[in-house]
Amino acid sequence: MGTMIVGVAAGGIPVSKARGARGRPSLDLTPATVSAPAPAFKKGRCATWSRNQGGSRGDIGSPVYQKGQRTRCKAVKSHSSTGKSADVLQPGILINYRKDDKHILALIMEPDGKKNWWIVDQRGRRFSLPARTVSLILPGGNFLVDDVQRFAAAAEAADMSLLEIAWAVAAEEPRSYSLPELAMLLFDEDHALPQYVTFCMLLHDEVYFKPAFKGGVWSFEPRSAEAVEVAEAAAAAEAAAAAAKAAFLEQFSAARAAAAKARPASVTAALAAWKQGPHWDRVAALLDFALTAPGKCPESIDSLARDTLLLLRRRPEPDVAVSVLTEAGLLRLHEPIPLLRAGRSAEQEFGTHLEKAAQAMLHSPPPDPDVCRRLDLTHLAVYTVDDASTTEVDDGLSVTTDEAGNRLLWVHVADPTRWITPGDVFDVEARNRSRTLYFPFGAVPMFPRVLAEGPFSLGGSSPSGGDQAAGTCCAFSVCASLNADGSLGAVVHLTPSTISVSHRLTYDEVDADLGLGPGMCQYEDLQLIYEAARLRRSWRVSRGCIDIDLPEPKLEVAADELDKARPAVTCTKLSQWESAARTMVAEMMILAGEAVGTVGAQQHLPLPYRGQEVPQLPPQEVLDALPEGPCRGYALRRCMTRSVIEPAPVRHASLALDAYVQFTSPIRRYSDIMTHFNLKAHLRGEPLPFPAPAICSITNSAVELNRELGRAEGDVSKYWAAEYLRQRGSCGWPALVLGWFRAELNLVAVTLEDLGLETIVKVKPHIDGVARRM
């Protein structure tokens, strides 16, 4: 025996690279001690153990394998009709069978009918195996169940580097080699154990030999030196990829463990740390896969993300990716996923170039294109009425009388088009965003916040170096009178203006003041405006307007609570028709929209006119049978048609107006920006920046975007409504049944009266004898 190079032991069976007389490694094949005779497999014949020169147990009647003998392993051919498989397969033989592309070692125990055999595999499982699935029969016989484990352990401990030695020898004489021949090359022995170890090594080899299975016989051909070089490079790359995967798994597991103990102080910082490391490509792919709208993730990123999830032993699905990233602290616990999938950020992020441009505008305001026409209205008392949390003030109200004593109603609207021009960076960004989004944790603005809450807003801080006095702001004002019946009288003014907000109030404050009545209230102007608003609504009702009287929930949660396990979320019921202040503001905004629409129609101006077809309402007797309020509002809402935007006047059935243009929210709605641009250009006698084809193109392209954004708003609100209820699982609330949602499924719509939350509930088809009459 020559010099020992390496020794590896498994299951008590040393596999060595000792050099024998012929310079090849040898395998210690000392069998396990047998303390009992093997069972008799044939009637009247007792099987006894015999030792071969190769060290395996010999089968009864089987040949004795001599060292150096060339043999060919037999395998059962599928669907054999000659009965040869029955001659070859017999109890006590070790076989290899294939299942799901895996090769498994087993011991044949006894027949199971004509085509199956009872076997015990290397996991100790006993079951019936079809003979056609056998892919290799090892020589010898009278093996025991313990031999299955012994052989498997030897194969597990085999040194794969030995194949390079065998290849170097075989490549000198390129041809197909049988399994026994390669076993002789590797171990100087070709009985069952070295053959099985060689077989397993060759199955795992992708570098040196090319396997073939033909006619029930395995053969192996040494690859060329060039092919081996290529395969070695591929194997090295695969090994590096495997090491990288292992390192990723280790780092990701550590991140999950750390996040389970304490959420990271900043998700942004956690992501930045990954971005600096070697595994950012996988994390970035997971983020894109999780937060991209279905079907829009690039194929390469989709593939890497799915591979990463499978590596983490998780289902390759976007929602699972969200869970995985959240567990690792790379998404917040209550991340607004629908918003992110709509392509927006909860942090209201704008590009660096936009932020720099906004700061530049604050320090160096552009010239006012309407400075010569801007009407000075700073002498008017201007009232803004909003929620307490509002930071973007779109509109304000005033009331005056003319020389004839007629009451004039003023609506002053924020004037962002004083600062931006069609086609500039802010206009393009606003067009792409379409509108401001509102969520329980805050708004995602259409413009950078320093502008939307600053010079664009009524009463916002004026930029340094501006051309307006301190405390004043630019506006676009509409002044109109009413006829005795509440219809629009004359449009007295439609002009850029300068105003000074004298009273900034909340809806609650105005409701309280209006409730005191004329003579007792603090703000008499608001009493006059409210009186005009009631007259306007009566006129619209007489023309068939449709009011949807349904309460709404106002859900609120602080943005810094989104990564807390139990965020402090509140829910407040809002109802426009129960609030005089909200009714007043809504009617004044509708009045301004009608005034602008009327002027546009008279001047044949292309504007984004909003309309709605007449809905198919239930018969009047059906509506009369429903109680006024939410139940009737729910029935009417189910009949409503979608609104449309056209460049020419179109009737708005729900508002009962012949021409209507949304004009009063230019900070948060891009269609209002187009209205402002076109009206100002018309007043200056300049070409309109948005002719009819441009209006159609922009509004049509925004339709699907606005629907997607609306779904995101709705889904996020539903999430926080569910979170609010989850935190109060033991509470109960009175609920009002609004009507059937899907009668055939026993689903009804209900509203939680104290919260304004609407949900769907399944009920029994008949409750206390009450039939389905809703």
Side-chain angles (χ1 to χ4, degrees), residues 125-204:
R125 298 174 300 186
R126 176 185 171 95
F127 58 92
S128 180
L129 180 75
R132 66 178 182 274
T133 63
V134 176
S135 60
L136 177 69
I137 301 174
L138 293 172
N142 291 345
F143 291 102
L144 300 177
V145 172
D146 289 344
D147 292 317
V148 179
Q149 295 295 333
R150 187 165 63 92
F151 275 48
E156 183 74 20
D159 186 351
M160 292 293 292
S161 65
L162 296 175
L163 286 176
E164 183 179 3
I165 300 172
W167 171 79
V169 175
E172 296 175 359
E173 185 184 347
R175 60 179 176 84
S176 293
Y177 285 80
S178 67
L179 184 59
E181 286 178 313
L182 289 177
M184 290 295 298
L185 280 176
L186 285 168
F187 303 113
D188 266 349
E189 296 172 301
D190 63 357
H191 52 83
L193 181 56
Q195 280 201 35
Y196 180 69
V197 172
T198 301
F199 180 68
C200 290
M201 293 171 67
L202 290 167
L203 286 181
H204 289 89

Side-chain angles (χ1 to χ4, degrees), residues 57-99:
R57 295 183 177 91
D59 185 16
I60 297 172
S62 64
V64 176
Y65 291 91
Q66 302 294 332
K67 185 174 182 180
Q69 178 182 353
R70 295 291 186 263
T71 61
R72 188 175 287 264
C73 284
K74 299 179 181 179
V76 180
K77 296 182 181 180
S78 60
H79 306 292
S80 173
S81 59
T82 62
K84 291 182 179 179
S85 62
D87 296 335
V88 176
L89 295 179
Q90 45 187 301
I93 286 180
L94 288 175
I95 63 165
N96 188 89
Y97 70 92
R98 178 179 292 180
K99 181 179 181 181

Side-chain angles (χ1 to χ4, degrees), residues 33-39 47-49 57 142 144:
T33 303
V34 179
S35 58
T48 59
W49 293 117
R57 295 183 177 91
N142 291 345
L144 300 177

